[in-house]
Structure formats: structure tokens, C-alpha cells
Amino acid sequence: MAGVAVSTTINGDAVEYLCQPDETLLEVLRDRLGLTGAKEGCGTGDCGACSVIVDGRLVCSCLVLGAEAEGREVETIEGMAHGDQLHPLQQKFLEHAALQCGICTPGFLIAAKDLLAKNPSPTEEEIRFGLAGNLCRCTGYDKIVRAVQDAANVMKGA
Ligand code: FES
Ligand code: FES
């Protein structure tokens, strides 16, 4: 199969790659670009572990083709911290012990970032609804919800 040449922006950097027409964005990120933060939990759009933001929309990168990133702005977990400075969501996930095995965590962080960008003061119900596409088999969700609430308060005060 002929490769597809893609020019895109990932975490603010111009990136070019060649991929196969049937290769997912998740495969491109992980296997071609070494951005292994997004995880493959299911590969069918059900778990949210592969979440990234494309042109301001939260997507499952396992359901997007690598070729579809052409000309778009992609945000991944690798772009969330600024150097050693963690994003408030990352900091609060640590403080609230909102992760155990960590497989779901990058997806939750990206989904929570998207949620707070659209709704800076979500209620608990809105957080649970906003993160309903992300599955966690370890934490029971309560610590994640508290971490997002706490991060929202920090970000509003900033
Ligand atoms: S790996 Fe994409 S939603 Fe599960
Ligand atoms: S921390 Fe293990 S799946 Fe969420």
C-alpha cells in the first residue's frame, strides 16, 4: 500500500510523517512518533485510554486515521505539562491519588482538560457525565472526580 504524507501540528510543533491509509492516529502517535502517552485499551472507541484533542474536539485516536490529522492541531498528554511544571490536573491527580495502574490516566487527563476548557466550573454530575467515555478499572472514579473538582478550583483562581 502506498504511504500517505501528512503535515500536522502536534502540541504546537509542526510534524510530518508517512503512514499507511488504514493506520490509526493512535498507531501513528505511538509507533511512528514515539508519543506513547495515549494508550490502546480497547481499539474500538469504548474506553477513552487513547483520548487526544484534534482541533479542539476530544476524540478517540483509535477511531481516527493518521491521515486525517492532515492540517489539524493535535494535542496529546505529552503537551500537557510545561517543562517541569505540571498542569493543575496532573498535580491534583497526584495529590488525590487518582491513579493506580495508570493505563487510563492520560486519557482521563486529556478528557478532563477538554471538559474544563468548555466548562470551567463543572458540578460533580457534569464531571461524571463529561468523563463517562473514559473507563477506569482501578480507582472507583471518586478520586478522579475530586481531583478534577480541585483542579478546576485552582485553575479558576489562577
Ligand atoms: S483504545 Fe481508543 S477508546 Fe479504547
Ligand atoms: S488507574 Fe488503572 S485503569 Fe484507571
Side-chain angles (χ1 to χ4, degrees):
M1 240 188 291
V4 181
V6 177
S7 298
T8 187
T9 302
I10 300 180
N11 301 325
D13 294 327
V15 175
E16 297 187 344
Y17 55 81
L18 274 177
C19 66
Q20 294 301 317
D22 61 350
E23 209 171 329
T24 67
L25 178 59
L26 177 61
E27 290 170 323
V28 169
L29 290 172
R30 291 183 56 84
D31 302 338
R32 293 192 183 273
L33 303 178
L35 297 172
T36 55
K39 303 288 186 265
E40 179 163 0
C42 64
T44 52
D46 294 309
C47 75
C50 64
S51 297
V52 299
I53 296 171
V54 178
D55 284 353
R57 282 188 58 204
L58 183 68
V59 300
C60 295
S61 60
C62 70
L63 297 183
V64 176
L65 292 174
E68 291 180 288
E70 171 67 33
R72 299 186 185 276
E73 304 255 352
V74 181
E75 292 175 56
T76 73
I77 189 68
E78 285 84 357
M80 204 156 168
H82 292 291
D84 292 339
Q85 180 83 39
L86 293 179
H87 187 284
L89 279 162
Q90 294 172 306
Q91 188 63 44
K92 292 303 177 187
F93 266 58
L94 286 175
E95 289 175 16
H96 287 269
L99 64 156
Q100 289 181 36
C101 79
I103 290 289
C104 70
T105 309
F108 267 101
L109 287 168
I110 287 288
K113 184 181 177 201
D114 178 72
L115 171 68
L116 295 185
K118 290 169 179 152
N119 179 1
S121 302
T123 62
E124 177 181 341
E125 191 177 16
E126 287 169 336
I127 293 172
R128 291 185 186 275
F129 185 79
L131 300 180
N134 294 76
L135 303 183
C136 176
R137 63 186 175 184
C138 304
T139 64
Y141 299 100
D142 285 350
K143 292 175 179 178
I144 292 173
V145 172
R146 282 199 289 276
V148 174
Q149 283 174 317
D150 204 358
N153 289 335
V154 168
M155 290 165 70
K156 275 185 288 183

